[in-house]
Amino acid sequence: MNKRVRQEVREHMRTNSAAQRCRYPWSLRLLKSFFADRSFLQFVAIYIGIAAIVALLEIVIPRYVPELLPQWTRSGPPGADIKVLLTNVASYLITAQVGVLGVIAIAIGLVTLIAQREDAGTDVKVYYHESFAVEVVASSLALLFVLIAQLLWPLQFLLHRFGEGTELQIFKLFLTAVHMGWLLVNLSGLAHFITTTFRFVQKSAREQLRERYTANVVQPVEMTRQLRLKLYEMAGSDLIETDATGGRGTRQDDLVVTFGFDWGKPDDVELEKSFVRPAVVHDVRVRWVRWVATRWWRRCLANPSGGRNSRVGGLAADKPLLVFTPQLDEPLRGKVAWCWRRGGVPLTRFERWVVEWSFRFRKASDEA
């Protein structure tokens, strides 16, 4: 379901002239894909993964394919100056990164002062998003943390301590190149941050920032929310099944399947779950749920004496009813009978497994 929603929103944004007019340039989209709302810990974790892979290669390559290693990167003569160069480069990078953080702190303080004087709380939210302020700070702090830790090259030290690795500096050179590339991206983020800051302090430019934020963030988020709710609620009425003779394309009024509605106390519980922590339905593989409903409805037709339900609301008493009670993104707590039926025949064990696999639960957010 979420995949279909993303496709629909993406197609709308591609064909909407107003959205296209406010679309981010490709350079900004590329920069945003690097930061991608990542936190300090996420940046550090990504780097640790890269460093671990490099350490693994330092074990494997010298042992199995040593011919791949360039001898000019030897730590001793004639490449003794490489180790000194790596130390000096690290100190330069640390100095540059500290300078980046200083500039960001001054700019954020200036913007906060302007916001307090003009009561522009909403505009500050737009500013933080459009300038990548939080992301640039997180990335810069993470790089500074990494650079200080790598002054001692802890993973390489452990490798050499246990008799692994090599005296060649190619792996440290590679990680240093990663540091330099990371710093260049941070500097690009800083350039965008400063540009956005200078625009923000001008009242005429804030409207443009607000319009771009609305077109690229607010509108897609709202469209996604509305489409998800609509598709989920309409999933039951969209069941197009075979008729009694096996023909395709006939809508059966005898089949009633609902999503997100609770018709009261269940007669026959098919699936229930105990939620120790609040959880929500985040996604549904609707196609597979429809497939289960089709199988169940055919067996109900083949066995009309399988059961009768009592009258519920405006439903006829002889219509089998299959209910999926969870509402989309609404917290579920405790023991919940989230799939039940009135009338008809029971679901098979395999059908219950498919339904349980099709509903994707995840931990509820703190705001839920």
Side-chain angles (χ1 to χ4, degrees):
M1 182 181 67
N2 287 347
K3 181 180 179 180
R4 179 181 172 184
V5 169
R6 287 192 295 267
Q7 291 173 346
E8 294 283 348
V9 172
R10 192 181 302 116
E11 183 63 26
H12 173 79
M13 299 301 292
R14 188 181 295 115
T15 57
N16 187 288
S17 58
Q20 286 296 310
R21 187 174 62 252
C22 298
R23 191 182 185 190
Y24 295 124
W26 68 268
S27 57
L28 190 57
R29 295 199 301 271
L30 187 62
L31 193 63
K32 187 176 179 61
S33 66
F34 174 83
F35 293 113
D37 297 326
R38 293 188 177 96
S39 65
F40 168 82
L41 292 178
Q42 289 174 321
F43 280 114
V44 172
I46 292 173
Y47 179 83
I48 291 176
I50 295 175
I53 293 174
V54 172
L56 181 62
L57 291 176
E58 189 170 353
I59 296 174
V60 173
I61 293 180
R63 182 177 297 179
Y64 298 104
V65 282
E67 62 274 10
L68 295 180
L69 297 175
Q71 295 302 312
W72 61 267
T73 62
R74 189 178 300 276
S75 59
D81 57 339
I82 293 181
K83 192 170 184 179
V84 177
L85 176 64
L86 292 176
T87 303
N88 290 337
V89 168
S91 64
Y92 299 151
L93 295 179
I94 290 174
T95 302
Q97 193 57 76
V98 170
V100 169
L101 289 172
V103 172
I104 293 175
I106 294 173
I108 291 179
L110 175 63
V111 170
T112 302
L113 180 62
I114 294 174
Q116 289 177 345
R117 292 182 60 184
E118 300 186 9
D119 193 22
T122 303
D123 285 341
V124 170
K125 180 179 179 181
V126 174
Y127 164 76
Y128 280 140
H129 181 274
E130 292 296 306
S131 65
F132 302 158
V134 177
E135 293 84 353
V136 172
V137 170
S139 179
S140 298
L141 287 174
L143 177 56
L144 187 59
F145 174 86
V146 165
L147 289 172
I148 294 174
Q150 287 290 52
L151 285 175
L152 301 176
W153 300 103
L155 287 180
Q156 281 71 23
F157 175 80
L158 290 176
L159 288 180
H160 298 163
R161 179 68 177 81
F162 290 101
E164 298 290 347
T166 174
E167 63 179 3
L168 301 180
Q169 302 295 306
I170 181 64
F171 302 99
K172 293 181 181 179
L173 285 172
F174 174 80
L175 289 175
T176 300
V178 172
H179 301 162
M180 295 178 66
W182 192 352
L183 177 62
L184 290 175
V185 175
N186 285 349
L187 290 175
S188 300
L190 175 64
H192 171 71
F193 172 83
I194 293 175
T195 302
T196 305
T197 301
F198 286 156
R199 295 184 62 196
F200 180 81
V201 297
Q202 302 173 7
K203 291 185 177 181
S204 59
R206 293 185 196 176
E207 186 64 31
Q208 297 177 359
L209 291 175
R210 205 178 296 121
E211 181 180 0
R212 191 167 69 174
Y213 176 80
T214 302
N216 290 278
V217 179
V218 176
Q219 185 178 3
V221 168
E222 184 62 22
M223 287 180 58
T224 299
R225 188 183 70 84
Q226 295 290 346
L227 276 175
R228 289 177 73 247
L229 291 175
K230 196 65 176 179
L231 286 176
Y232 184 71
E233 293 175 357
M234 296 296 293
S237 61
D238 286 344
L239 290 167
I240 307 296
E241 313 297 354
T242 60
D243 58 21
T245 62
R248 294 291 299 174
T250 303
R251 186 184 299 274
Q252 297 298 326
D253 293 332
D254 290 336
L255 174 63
V256 179
V257 180
T258 64
F259 290 75
F261 296 96
D262 194 344
W263 297 89
K265 186 177 180 181
D267 287 355
D268 299 283
V269 175
E270 294 290 349
L271 285 169
E272 64 180 1
K273 187 173 182 178
S274 295
F275 297 94
V276 179
R277 297 180 178 178
V280 297
V281 174
H282 173 65
D283 197 7
V284 181
R285 296 182 173 97
V286 179
R287 181 178 301 176
W288 289 101
V289 178
R290 291 174 178 173
W291 178 78
V292 169
T294 301
R295 284 171 51 94
W296 174 74
W297 172 74
R298 288 174 179 170
R299 289 189 289 106
C300 289
L301 289 180
N303 185 18
S305 60
R308 291 289 186 268
N309 59 341
S310 57
R311 187 174 185 84
V312 181
L315 299 178
D318 59 346
K319 289 184 179 181
L321 173 65
L322 186 62
V323 178
F324 302 100
T325 61
Q327 297 182 20
L328 204 62
D329 298 327
E330 289 294 326
L332 302 171
R333 298 178 175 86
K335 191 173 183 179
V336 179
W338 60 273
C339 175
W340 54 267
R341 63 180 172 82
R342 283 198 174 115
V345 298
L347 296 176
T348 65
R349 179 180 299 180
F350 178 69
E351 289 170 346
R352 287 195 293 269
W353 179 84
V354 172
V355 170
E356 190 170 12
W357 170 78
S358 299
F359 277 75
R360 312 305 296 171
F361 295 93
R362 75 175 185 183
K363 180 182 177 181
S365 62
D366 295 335
E367 292 80 7

